[in-house]
Amino acid sequence: MLDEKGYFYIIDAILAVMLLLMVFLIVNATISIPSPDYSHDSKDIRIAQDTMEILSGKVNFDDQSFLGEISEILKGNENSKESVREVSKICKDKLKSFNLKNYRFSENNVLKGKVLASSGDYSEAGDVSVATRNYGDYSYSLSTW
């Protein structure tokens, strides 16, 4: 003959554990601490860093980065006015593809702060996010606001 009381105790214990688990989950769901919601302003701070990371990164190991490409154009033509104009056009097209509204992209070392591409009025900029990357002798800065 089977131990029928033991069988009922096991079912009773399983139901009690399930009931405690459900109560725990309900309490946890109602008391859980909400994750911080980043404001729109804090997202704008990272735009320059993210964009510059894309410009300095390689698609795969065979490709050259965007900063490498424009540096080679400048260096190959000995920083001539034509090469600066060509690089400026390339930079404007590239940054336009990122849908940036207000930005300033410049080379700070060899060209002594020459602005290669810009959009918006920098003098009226409030919060400015700046990212800088180096490629060889060239040091590029991207400011967004």
Side-chain angles (χ1 to χ4, degrees), residues 30-59:
T30 57
I31 298 179
S32 66
I33 299 172
S35 62
D37 185 25
Y38 297 107
S39 68
H40 184 68
D41 294 335
S42 67
K43 289 181 184 177
D44 288 342
I45 292 171
R46 297 184 299 246
I47 289 175
Q49 290 291 339
D50 293 344
T51 305
M52 193 59 104
E53 195 65 31
I54 292 170
L55 295 177
S56 63
K58 296 181 180 181
V59 176

Side-chain angles (χ1 to χ4, degrees), residues 67-112:
L67 296 182
E69 180 184 332
I70 62 174
S71 297
E72 291 299 321
I73 292 171
L74 290 171
K75 187 175 184 177
N77 295 316
E78 298 175 357
N79 304 317
S80 66
K81 288 183 179 183
E82 294 89 22
S83 65
V84 171
R85 273 188 243 133
E86 179 183 353
V87 166
S88 182
K89 183 183 180 315
I90 293 170
C91 291
K92 286 177 186 175
D93 292 341
K94 185 70 166 183
L95 292 171
K96 188 177 185 179
S97 71
F98 293 136
N99 293 328
L100 297 175
K101 293 181 182 178
N102 299 313
Y103 64 87
R104 183 167 74 173
F105 185 72
S106 60
E107 198 290 320
N108 301 315
N109 192 25
V110 176
L111 300 178
K112 311 264 190 271

Side-chain angles (χ1 to χ4, degrees), residues 8 11 25 47 52 62 96 99 103 112 128 137 143 145:
F8 289 118
I11 292 176
L25 290 175
I47 289 175
M52 193 59 104
D62 297 333
K96 188 177 185 179
N99 293 328
Y103 64 87
K112 311 264 190 271
V128 179
D137 293 336
S143 302
W145 62 93

